[in-house]
Amino acid sequence: MMSGTIEPIPAAALSAAAGAVRRLLRLDEGNEAELVEQVAGVALGLAESFCGRVTIRRVVEESLPGASGWQTLSMGPVVAILSGGEGEIDRDARGWIRTRVATTVRYRAGMAESWATLPPGIAHGVAIMGAHLFDNRDAAAVPPAAVAALWRPWRSMRIDMARRA
């Protein structure tokens, strides 16, 4: 469980995701722009929750207790550890920190630098989910199965706590 903060999804990524939702819905540029951007942001958040990964790279701050061994960072994939103790990134893009005192670790995590470099399956799933949320805003409809199928290859689940010697 993470104890800290993550930067909001960049405005450019939200705008690009909203554009993908708008194209899928065949809406004109200004038509319901605020709602389309809102559902695109929710869809990106759902993708992150489902996959267990940060989609668009951003800075995360996480508080860790002091410990004698290595501790894993909560968010990933980690691309850089900026501050907060001795750190390493393993081949699975998990961040590891070793610090004997409680500290706040700053790091960058995310699958892609921008919407344009996001894996196509993730991006298309976000567009489909956003269109679904837009079309079904008055009802509790089941999300399309295609969304889970598009996101599943990117899903990362922790069943047991990772350990490092």
Side-chain angles (χ1 to χ4, degrees):
M1 172 97 25
M2 187 177 118
S3 172
T5 61
I6 184 168
E7 286 180 339
I9 296 171
L14 284 175
S15 179
V21 171
R22 194 174 297 107
R23 283 188 297 281
L24 202 59
L25 291 168
R26 297 185 179 128
L27 289 175
D28 292 332
E29 186 67 31
N31 197 6
E32 306 223 37
E34 188 175 319
L35 179 59
V36 171
E37 189 150 327
Q38 182 180 11
V39 298
V42 170
L44 269 168
L46 289 171
E48 289 186 348
S49 293
F50 182 89
C51 294
R53 299 170 181 244
V54 179
T55 53
I56 307 298
R57 288 189 189 142
R58 44 206 201 271
V59 174
V60 180
E61 289 188 356
E62 183 174 344
S63 298
L64 293 176
S68 59
W70 289 94
Q71 300 176 68
T72 185
L73 297 172
S74 298
M75 306 297 285
V78 176
V79 294
I81 298 173
L82 306 173
S83 66
E86 179 185 353
E88 290 184 9
I89 302 169
D90 68 17
R91 68 173 186 230
D92 295 323
R94 275 189 305 245
W96 295 89
I97 296 292
R98 185 163 44 191
T99 177
R100 295 197 180 277
V101 297
T103 190
T104 299
V105 180
R106 292 186 78 240
Y107 58 100
R108 281 184 56 78
M111 298 168 64
E113 192 61 45
S114 67
W115 174 264
T117 58
L118 199 60
I122 300 282
H124 192 60
V126 167
I128 292 171
M129 180 57 83
H132 170 77
L133 293 170
F134 182 90
D135 283 341
N136 296 290
R137 57 186 170 250
D138 297 330
V142 176
V147 173
L150 288 164
W151 291 346
R152 193 169 290 117
W154 300 99
R155 192 168 200 184
S156 172
M157 296 175 25
R158 289 189 182 165
I159 296 171
D160 192 9
M161 194 60 137
R163 300 184 197 285
R164 183 177 181 129

